[in-house]
Amino acid sequence: MSSNGLQLVGQYSATTEADLYLRPGNRESKPIASFNSKTNNVLLRITVPKRTGRKRKRGSDEAWQSDTEAPVSSARLLSGPPDAWRLARSLRDNPDRYNVELIGSIRQTHRFRRLPDFVWSTERSPFMAKMREHILPFDCTCSKNPFFFLLSLIDLVDTKLKNFKFDMSKGVQEDNDIIPPPQWTHQTLPFNYSSVGPSYRQNPAIHNIFSTTGPTTRNTQVPHRNRIPMLTYDTPAVPTMAPQDIIPESSLPEPFQTLLAAMREILIERPVCTRRYLQNHVPLDIWKKVGPNAAKQLWQYVGYIWNSGPWRDSICALGIDPRKDQEMRWYQTMMFQ
């Protein structure tokens, strides 16, 4: 860390927090405390060939172009200090000409995630002007020797502290000086940054995916949406085949395909049945291999569901319309509330 960085951070150790002063030298500003975390990282020095500023198309014999003649798209690569993008580009362009050197290990890392406190300007405050002159210089930490520490303390008391006086006048005065509190807010984090409970930390299940259409994000933990058709009592026609936008049945695991075959056998014997009936008549060993939650995703392959009418909440086999067959009246459902 540079000298300016040390001045901003102040005094810190491997076991305590570090204080970040956004206004160095201002004793009235409140610092931002860090989160001291143990880490096990390494610090590398990567040396790449120095750029000459000349450029030409790779694999061609065209004349070299200087910085001023280079196209605008290469301005980011040829100007300014090196950044992560230019370093990665230089490593790809020089696969055999860069050098990696191990500098050391990083055992502690200070992360500054707290918000700074509100600021009240006290430049025109008479009381704070006297405080800055007589009280704030009362700093005796400049010497670690106890003898010199005591001498500096006596000198500051005689020259500064004794001259500090309060205004003892009575009555109402114009333009009374309002002294700000030492701390404005106790809320240093707007949201909890943690992996437990509600937080604004990035979901670890979200990954960046690059395809031909461009970069996008995808949540790998979101379950597949159940596409089973839900029909009302007055729907003109019933579906005769499974939805087209679902996972092909041939791509399903073997236990899922075995459970689908068992469901189809039950629906051939009884075309209209409830979900509980299906669960109770499927062999127990097959049901345990899939589980109740995963079995819900298989209903869309074998039938559809009525959400109103005489067969409400029942699963019907694909292509079977119970409204057109009198024998299906025995499978009507009853709802109890």
Side-chain angles (χ1 to χ4, degrees), residues 148-160:
F148 291 104
F149 175 82
L150 182 60
L151 289 180
S152 61
L153 178 62
I154 295 175
D155 181 65
L156 286 174
V157 170
D158 290 339
T159 58
K160 295 291 183 180

Side-chain angles (χ1 to χ4, degrees), residues 280-335:
N280 293 337
H281 286 75
V282 169
L284 186 59
D285 57 339
I286 300 177
W287 186 265
K288 286 184 176 180
K289 291 181 181 179
V290 177
N293 293 328
K296 297 178 182 179
Q297 304 294 329
L298 302 181
W299 299 336
Q300 55 192 343
Y301 292 90
V302 296
Y304 62 94
I305 294 179
W306 294 96
N307 59 12
S308 63
W311 297 277
R312 179 181 174 182
D313 284 347
S314 63
I315 300 179
C316 292
L318 294 172
I320 302 297
D321 191 349
R323 298 170 299 181
K324 299 180 180 181
D325 190 353
Q326 294 184 359
E327 295 298 329
M328 299 298 174
R329 68 184 186 275
W330 304 107
Y331 305 132
Q332 298 183 39
T333 60
M334 301 179 64
M335 306 295 297

